[in-house]
Amino acid sequence: MKAVALLGGPKAEWPQNLRQKLLHAQEMGQLLVGVDRGSLLLLELGLKPDLAIGDFDSLKASELGELEKNCPDIRYSVPEKDDTDSELMVKTVFKAYQVQSLTIYGATGGRLDHYLINLMMFLAPGMRPFAEKVRICDRQNEIRFFNPGKHEIERLSDFPYIGIWNLEAVQNLNIIGAKYELRHFNSSYPIMWGSNEFKPASSSFTLTSDQGMLAVVYSRDLKKYDNI
Amino acid sequence: MKAVALLGGPKAEWPQNLRQKLLHAQEMGQLLVGVDRGSLLLLELGLKPDLAIGDFDSLKASELGELEKNCPDIRYSVPEKDDTDSELMVKTVFKAYQVQSLTIYGATGGRLDHYLINLMMFLAPGMRPFAEKVRICDRQNEIRFFNPGKHEIERLSDFPYIGIWNLEAVQNLNIIGAKYELRHFNSSYPIMWGSNEFKPASSSFTLTSDQGMLAVVYSRDLKKYDNI
C-alpha cells in the first residue's frame, strides 16, 4: 500500500489539481492521511482521511467533532513531545500501516521553522530508514531523499532544474552524467548545488556518496498560466 | 552605511509594504541593491537601485537597457561560476561598499534550490564573517545567523515563534531562558528546533554554542488581514 499525506502548510504552495490527485490516490486504495490542520483541509476538499494525526489544538471543537465523525483512526499527539506531528505521521504510516511509499503535500512554505522540520526530519536516526520512500511535493518542487550509496536519478517531466543538497557533512559525493558534474567532493557542512540539469539526451544521472544524506530537488519556474 | 537588497523570489513572499520599507531605507542613505531579476522588480516599484548584480540572462534587452539607464553600478556575474549571484552580492556589499549590515528581501519561496542557497550560503568559509550582519525577511519570517559564541536573542514584536536551527554539526548548544530550554546538546547533523517562544515577561534569551553556525528563525502565523 502507498500513502499520501496533507500537512497544514499554505494552500498557495499546493500543486495544481491537488484535490484530484488526492481523490485519485484514495480511489486507487492509497492511505489518505491528514496531519493536524491538514486533516481539516481534507474534509474541506470533500475527502475523508483514513488516518489523522496531530494535537489539533488549533481546531475549534466543532471542527474536531466533524473530524471525529469522518475519520476512522485519529491519533492524538502530545504537544511538547519529542516527535513533531510530521515525524509521528511518517513513523505511523511506515510502522503501523506498513506502507511502501509516502507522498507529502502541504509541507512547504509559510513558517520556516515548520518548513525546515519537514525537510530535515529524515536526518534523525529513527527516520533515516524511511527517507528514500518519501517525496515532498509542492507547486514548484519535488524533493526526494537518498541515503549513502549509488542512485540513478530519473528525469521528471515538468521539472527542468535539479538541485543536489547534502543535508549534512558528506564524503565522496559524485554527480556523474548531469549537466554539471562533481567528483570526490567532501564537505563538513551542508551545501545546495542548485540549477543543475539533465543532459539533453539523457533520462538519468548517477549520484553517489560514501557518507551523508542527500536530497534531490526537482524544480521549475512558474509560468504565466500558473496563476502566480 | 547599511544595505538593503531585493532578490528575484516570488512577490507573494514579500513583507507587507515592501515598497515603503525600501523607499524609506534609500531615503535614509542605505545602499539599495538589486540581484538579477530583483533589479527589475525595484524599477517596477519606482525605485532606482544603487547597485545591481547578476547575469541578467532572464531579462529582455529592453529591460536590461532600462536597468543600465537607471543604475550607476552594474556588476555582471558569470553564469556557471563558483559564486551564486546571492553570494556575489553579499561579498560585494561588505567588501567593496564596506556596509555594516544587510537586509535581504525576495530570498524565500519559489524554487527550493534557490531558497536553500540563500539560507545556507553563509556556511561557506568566505561567507561566515558576514553571517551575523545579515537578516533575511519575508512576510512570515525573519532569519538571523550566529557564529559560535554567546548571543542574547532579542524579542521582535509581531513574531511570537522562534526556531533555533543548527545549520551544521553543533557542539555544546545551549538555549537558556526561552520557553523550551536545551543544555549541552551535541549533534553531527542539522536540526530545526521549532515552535519555541520567549518567556512571557522576558525580552531576550541566551543562545550559545562552541562550534557550528546557528540561525534564529522568528516567525508568525498569517492572520486574516494578511490576504492569504
Side-chain angles (χ1 to χ4, degrees), chain B residues 66-139:
Chain B
E66 194 63 22
L67 180 61
E68 285 174 338
K69 245 187 353 207
N70 286 289
C71 179
D73 186 359
I74 302 184
R75 305 195 180 200
Y76 295 89
S77 63
V78 182
E80 311 182 10
K81 67 247 166 225
D82 282 344
D83 283 345
T84 64
D85 287 344
S86 301
E87 287 174 303
L88 190 60
M89 180 274 290
V90 171
K91 289 179 177 173
T92 303
V93 299
F94 284 109
K95 289 181 176 171
Y97 281 85
Q98 297 274 314
V99 304
Q100 274 89 53
S101 69
L102 168 66
T103 302
I104 303 177
Y105 300 104
T108 64
R111 275 178 54 184
L112 182 59
D113 57 342
H114 292 169
Y115 190 175
L116 285 177
I117 282 171
N118 294 333
L119 291 179
M120 302 196 308
M121 62 181 169
F122 299 101
L123 289 168
M127 297 284 284
R128 291 187 190 238
F130 310 126
E132 293 185 15
K133 300 173 179 174
V134 173
R135 54 187 194 138
I136 294 177
C137 301
D138 70 20
R139 69 197 302 232

Side-chain angles (χ1 to χ4, degrees), chain A residues 4 8-9 22 26 35 54 57 62 65-67 76 78-79 89 98 113 139 144 154 157 176 184 186 190 199:
Chain A
V4 55
L22 297 174
Q26 198 172 35
V35 179
D57 60 358
S62 61
E66 196 63 24
L67 181 61
Y76 294 89
V78 181
M89 179 274 290
Q98 297 276 315
D113 57 343
R139 69 198 303 232
R144 299 185 182 186
E154 304 288 333
S157 61
I176 301 165
H184 309 304
N186 300 315
K199 284 186 178 170

Side-chain angles (χ1 to χ4, degrees), chain A residues 3-7 14-34 38-39 41-50 103-106 137:
Chain A
V4 55
L6 182 62
L7 278 56
W14 288 1
Q16 288 192 310
N17 305 321
L18 179 60
R19 184 182 181 282
Q20 283 74 1
K21 285 180 206 288
L22 297 174
L23 180 64
H24 180 70
Q26 198 172 35
E27 285 173 350
M28 298 294 287
Q30 296 188 27
L31 185 77
L32 184 61
V33 186
S39 312
L41 297 173
L42 287 174
L43 293 181
E44 289 174 6
L45 289 171
L47 301 168
K48 295 186 180 184
D50 302 302
T103 303
I104 303 177
Y105 301 102
C137 301

Side-chain angles (χ1 to χ4, degrees), chain B residues 7-162:
Chain B
L7 277 57
K11 293 179 186 177
E13 300 300 324
W14 288 2
Q16 288 193 310
N17 305 319
L18 179 60
R19 182 181 181 282
Q20 283 75 3
K21 285 181 206 288
L22 297 173
L23 181 63
H24 180 71
Q26 198 172 36
E27 284 173 352
M28 298 294 287
Q30 296 188 27
L31 185 77
L32 184 61
V33 186
V35 179
D36 213 61
R37 179 155 289 274
S39 312
L40 192 69
L41 297 173
L42 287 175
L43 293 180
E44 288 174 5
L45 289 171
L47 301 168
K48 294 186 181 185
D50 302 302
L51 167 66
I53 292 175
D55 60 26
F56 303 109
D57 60 359
S58 72
L59 268 57
K60 294 176 205 154
S62 61
E63 293 172 334
L64 191 55
E66 194 63 22
L67 180 61
E68 285 174 338
K69 245 187 353 207
N70 286 289
C71 179
D73 186 359
I74 302 184
R75 305 195 180 200
Y76 295 89
S77 63
V78 182
E80 311 182 10
K81 67 247 166 225
D82 282 344
D83 283 345
T84 64
D85 287 344
S86 301
E87 287 174 303
L88 190 60
M89 180 274 290
V90 171
K91 289 179 177 173
T92 303
V93 299
F94 284 109
K95 289 181 176 171
Y97 281 85
Q98 297 274 314
V99 304
Q100 274 89 53
S101 69
L102 168 66
T103 302
I104 303 177
Y105 300 104
T108 64
R111 275 178 54 184
L112 182 59
D113 57 342
H114 292 169
Y115 190 175
L116 285 177
I117 282 171
N118 294 333
L119 291 179
M120 302 196 308
M121 62 181 169
F122 299 101
L123 289 168
M127 297 284 284
R128 291 187 190 238
F130 310 126
E132 293 185 15
K133 300 173 179 174
V134 173
R135 54 187 194 138
I136 294 177
C137 301
D138 70 20
R139 69 197 302 232
Q140 271 188 272
N141 305 284
E142 178 164 332
I143 305 139
R144 299 185 181 186
F145 301 91
F146 297 93
N147 288 310
K150 181 177 177 178
H151 305 279
E152 279 303 298
I153 307 303
E154 304 289 332
R155 186 192 286 269
L156 286 185
S157 60
D158 299 336
F159 292 98
Y161 303 109
I162 296 289

Side-chain angles (χ1 to χ4, degrees), chain A residues 3 26 54 90 147 164 178 181 187 226:
Chain A
Q26 198 172 35
V90 171
N147 288 310
I164 310 290
E181 298 204 320
S187 174
D226 282 321

